[in-house]
Each structure stands twice: as C-alpha cells, then as structure tokens.
Amino acid sequence: MINDNIDAVTDVIFTSATTLTLTQKSCRPINPNYVCSLPNGVAFAATKIW
C-alpha cells in the first residue's frame, strides 16, 4: 500500500466473503509530517465493501 504519505506493507487474510484481517509488516513515513498509526506486527480486522 503506497500513498503520498506512507509506504506500508501488509499481509491480507480473507476470513469470509466480507471480512478480512490485515497484519502490518512494515511502515515507513514518506512525508515528514506523518507517522505510522500502528506498530509493525499488529493485526486488525476489516470489512470488505466492494
């Protein structure tokens, strides 16, 4: 995942047709005004909306 502010790498595991778990593997701020929200190794759940 790359945008103008951070360069982040995540593992994605779909746990059902509409839910998934993301685990942040690495994160590097590109913009000096930004910080990574989560530490590396943190897993978080998400809902697929597409």
Side-chain angles (χ1 to χ4, degrees):
M1 173 170 54
I2 301 172
N3 67 32
D4 293 340
N5 300 307
I6 62 165
D7 179 5
V9 175
T10 59
D11 281 345
V12 179
I13 298 172
F14 286 91
T15 54
S16 76
T18 58
T19 59
L20 55 127
T21 300
L22 298 143
T23 302
Q24 182 172 291
K25 301 304 263 181
S26 67
C27 183
R28 179 181 60 90
I30 296 169
N31 182 327
N33 296 321
Y34 282 78
V35 296
C36 297
S37 299
L38 300 170
N40 293 337
V42 169
F44 52 99
T47 302
K48 185 175 99 171
I49 57 172
W50 63 91

